[in-house]
Amino acid sequence: MSADTAPATPSPLTVPQAGLVEDLRALLGEDRVFCDDDARRFYTQDVFTNGPAALAVIRPADTQQLSGALKRITAAGMAAVPRGGGMSYTSGYIPPTGDSVVVDMSGMDRIVDIDETNMTVTVEAGCTWKALHETLSPKGLRPPFWGTLSGIKATVGGGLSQNSVFWGCGQAGTAAESVLALEVVLADGTVVKTGSWAHASGNTETQPFFRQYGPDLTGLFTSDAGALAFKTRIVLRLVRVARAKAYASFSFEDWPALFRAMHDIGRDGLASECFAFDPFLQGQRMKRESLAKDVKALAGVVKGQGTLLKGLKEGLKVAVAGRRYMDDVPYSLHVICEGRSEAAADADCAAVKAICTREGGAEIENSIPKILAANPFGPVNSMVGPEGERWVPIHGLFSHGRADEAMERLKALETTHADLIERHDIGIGYLCLTVSTTIFLIEPVFFWPDALNDLHRASLEPDALARINEFDANPDARAAVEQLRTAMLDIFQDCGAAHLQIGRTYRYGKTMSPTTRTLLEAIKTAVDPDGRVNPGALGLH
């Protein structure tokens, strides 16, 4: 699905659509059904795309309400589309037609149970990663994977539908790998549980402590772009928060040396987070923040170091370093190592430093990983460029053996299309990170002058929105970005890439072998016979 120039104009509801809306109001209540033009437009926009206006938006309060609503929507022949925090850029929740009801899951945001005995937490799908983190942190607990950088808005359910990376992913893998069990609602309103949660144990609900009880049905409903069912309650595994952290940052002259270091750090499982910026992207980051933000972030560093004395020392280092230390840094690598003790964290960090030094890296002040770790779920102002440019990423997950080839081809593509890039004032940067011991992620990021949409305006902090430029709509530049993204998708496909946040952008369905696709389509038919749940996501009808 390509980005549209302007939000769609909602059409008047037909008689059957109006009848469905009245049924939903009777079921959910007037305050949980939205049919005004603004809502119908807003909830069908993501970071890159404006889709056709929905016929309605609903916000169920619990599993029972959602079950009843889905039964009515699909029986009326309409599509039902789940939406979490809205931070997608791959049309994951963009309805294919106006005959769609968007289900805003933010009304189901409760933390249902924290079981410290059995080391699990049960949350509703609309709970944000930030809310979960702030509730668990005082108890010294967290899931192994504990959130995305957009976790102030991104939800746990959305993170599982898209599958996500960042906090903890260097050792814990993706969001889906921290899940033990799910409660989901199928297209016809049927409620299903997975893992040991599905075990009928007398008159009591079985403890959801084990995911692989028989075939992994939990995994079936993760990474599905919301195309198979609606996740309502999620059980995550818990671990103790690490008692100590160590940080390191390095400068590299070129990306091949950077990649060699990252490959070894990833393969050895040394870091909970290992991420890198190319010169353009780190330049954007340095331009974006203000002195006020630095002071706020510094307070977080002081609080996040365990003891006041250590916090003051680390905060002073950040303050003294300022920002100028990044002026002459080509490629930068940032690492966070965690351990049960300072000695353990320091030992892993020392191994990281040895690898980086061996590959020609020069150690620099580690302000970036310290500030991020101390303020893990900051505002989502980076969903636009520092001057107010539009922003959109694309990514590929590669084996260590194919990542270098992919990067080489991506850089060559930039050279080939240099005239197009310059003509439309498009900036391209790269974020790279390791995921567990087997995955290397490359994320090209595009910036270009263009008008913002309603989602941007609702998501940015007011002071950030007031500071940025107001660009005119720029459909030619947007089309050029789409052309470049498509060319990069060709490279990803050639290099055997996998993807998160598949939505309607990545070629999942088309790249599957025929037998695998047949099985996937059979599963879709079994759980959604008429194709009413988020049709088009995953490339399925």
Side-chain angles (χ1 to χ4, degrees):
M1 182 177 288
S2 299
D4 293 325
T5 302
T9 301
S11 302
L13 299 184
T14 64
V15 172
Q17 290 172 343
L20 172 62
V21 168
E22 289 309 308
D23 285 347
L24 292 171
R25 283 177 172 152
L27 173 69
L28 306 177
E30 293 278 344
D31 61 339
R32 293 188 174 274
V33 181
F34 310 94
C35 288
D36 60 282
D37 288 355
D38 288 344
R40 293 171 65 192
R41 280 193 300 258
F42 176 79
Y43 283 93
T44 58
Q45 299 174 17
D46 73 2
V47 173
F48 191 51
T49 304
N50 296 322
L55 69 91
V57 178
I58 64 172
R59 187 177 294 146
D62 54 35
T63 298
Q64 183 178 359
Q65 282 196 353
L66 176 60
S67 173
L70 288 181
K71 186 174 182 178
R72 287 161 174 78
I73 294 166
T74 58
M78 308 299 177
V81 179
R83 182 186 186 275
M87 296 292 100
S88 171
Y89 55 86
T90 56
S91 304
Y93 59 82
I94 303 297
T97 69
D99 279 344
S100 303
V101 176
V102 173
V103 182
D104 173 13
M105 296 298 293
S106 66
M108 299 174 62
D109 64 351
R110 290 172 286 273
I111 298 173
V112 178
D113 179 61
I114 301 171
D115 188 336
E116 296 186 57
T117 298
N118 294 299
M119 292 296 281
T120 65
V121 59
T122 304
V123 302
E124 290 183 324
C127 177
T128 66
W129 292 104
K130 182 176 188 286
L132 179 60
H133 174 70
E134 290 180 344
T135 301
L136 291 174
S137 286
K139 300 177 181 296
L141 299 171
R142 75 179 192 208
F145 173 89
W146 52 283
T148 65
L149 285 174
S150 57
I152 190 173
K153 292 185 177 292
T155 64
V156 177
L160 298 185
S161 290
Q162 306 283 31
N163 209 357
S164 301
V165 293
F166 203 78
W167 291 115
C169 75
Q171 293 171 329
T174 67
E177 295 174 74
S178 289
V179 184
L180 288 173
L182 296 172
E183 176 187 82
V184 302
V185 182
L186 306 184
D188 65 357
T190 301
V191 180
V192 175
K193 291 180 179 176
T194 69
S196 64
W197 212 6
H199 187 286
S201 178
N203 295 320
T204 61
E205 187 176 80
T206 302
Q207 179 65 34
F209 68 96
F210 183 43
R211 171 168 167 165
Q212 286 86 5
Y213 185 38
D216 185 14
L217 298 181
T218 301
L220 181 65
F221 296 107
T222 65
S223 313
D224 69 335
L228 298 182
F230 281 70
K231 283 166 277 294
T232 52
R233 288 196 291 166
I234 297 151
V235 182
L236 298 167
R237 184 165 63 90
L238 291 177
V239 297
R240 304 285 181 197
V241 173
R243 294 186 177 89
K245 293 184 179 182
Y247 308 90
S249 293
F250 278 81
S251 171
F252 287 86
E253 290 298 320
D254 54 42
W255 69 260
L258 168 71
F259 276 31
R260 289 194 300 271
M262 292 183 72
H263 289 315
D264 279 351
I265 294 167
R267 281 187 287 248
D268 289 351
L270 293 170
S272 56
E273 289 83 27
C274 173
F275 57 96
F277 303 120
D278 81 318
F280 180 82
L281 195 57
Q282 70 191 17
Q284 294 290 86
R285 181 177 181 82
M286 290 298 109
K287 287 192 294 184
R288 163 182 322 279
E289 307 296 345
S290 66
L291 179 60
K293 298 291 185 191
D294 283 345
V295 171
K296 186 176 180 180
L298 186 58
V301 171
V302 173
K303 286 176 60 179
Q305 297 302 315
T307 67
L308 178 60
L309 180 59
K310 183 177 180 182
L312 291 172
K313 287 181 178 178
E314 296 300 328
L316 181 61
K317 290 179 185 177
V318 172
V320 170
R323 293 175 177 226
R324 298 304 301 272
Y325 77 95
M326 292 292 288
D327 287 351
D328 298 319
V329 174
Y331 290 82
S332 64
L333 172 64
H334 309 280
V335 171
I336 303 173
C337 297
E338 298 182 333
R340 294 179 182 272
S341 65
E342 285 193 26
D346 289 345
D348 282 346
C349 197
V352 166
K353 292 179 180 181
I355 289 170
C356 292
T357 301
R358 184 192 68 214
E359 299 301 340
E363 190 167 5
I364 58 176
E365 178 55 47
N366 50 30
S367 299
I368 288 176
K370 281 179 189 171
I371 289 173
L372 277 178
N375 304 273
F377 301 115
V380 292
N381 299 331
S382 57
M383 67 189 296
V384 302
E387 303 299 327
E389 308 95 326
R390 286 289 289 267
W391 163 95
V392 70
I394 195 170
H395 74 266
L397 303 176
F398 301 92
S399 65
H400 287 290
R402 298 298 297 274
D404 292 54
E405 173 193 354
M407 188 64 172
E408 194 169 296
R409 291 181 62 179
L410 290 169
K411 299 300 286 184
L413 179 73
E414 283 191 63
T415 301
T416 301
H417 291 83
D419 290 344
L420 178 74
I421 292 168
E422 183 177 1
R423 183 163 67 251
H424 294 289
D425 195 19
I426 298 169
I428 303 176
Y430 292 87
L431 167 68
C432 300
L433 67 148
T434 60
V435 183
S436 189
T437 58
T438 61
I439 301 166
F440 195 103
L441 183 146
I442 302 175
E443 183 173 273
V445 181
F446 298 88
F447 298 84
W448 73 100
D450 198 355
L452 304 183
N453 67 16
D454 296 335
L455 179 66
H456 295 110
R457 299 182 186 284
S459 302
L460 268 64
E461 290 181 304
D463 65 324
L465 192 61
R467 287 197 308 269
I468 61 177
N469 295 324
E470 290 284 344
F471 292 103
D472 293 331
N474 194 347
D476 290 342
R478 199 175 313 129
V481 170
E482 182 68 21
Q483 178 183 340
L484 291 166
R485 290 177 91 208
T486 300
M488 288 185 175
L489 279 175
D490 292 338
I491 293 172
F492 292 161
Q493 185 171 331
D494 287 347
C495 293
H499 303 283
L500 310 169
Q501 197 175 148
I502 293 168
R504 293 170 174 80
T505 296
Y506 296 109
R507 301 166 184 170
Y508 175 73
K510 293 180 180 178
T511 57
M512 292 294 100
S513 69
T515 52
T516 302
R517 183 175 175 86
T518 298
L519 175 59
L520 179 65
E521 289 172 341
I523 293 170
K524 171 70 170 176
T525 300
V527 297
D528 181 19
D530 298 319
R532 301 299 183 193
V533 174
N534 209 10
L538 290 186
L540 299 173
H541 299 295

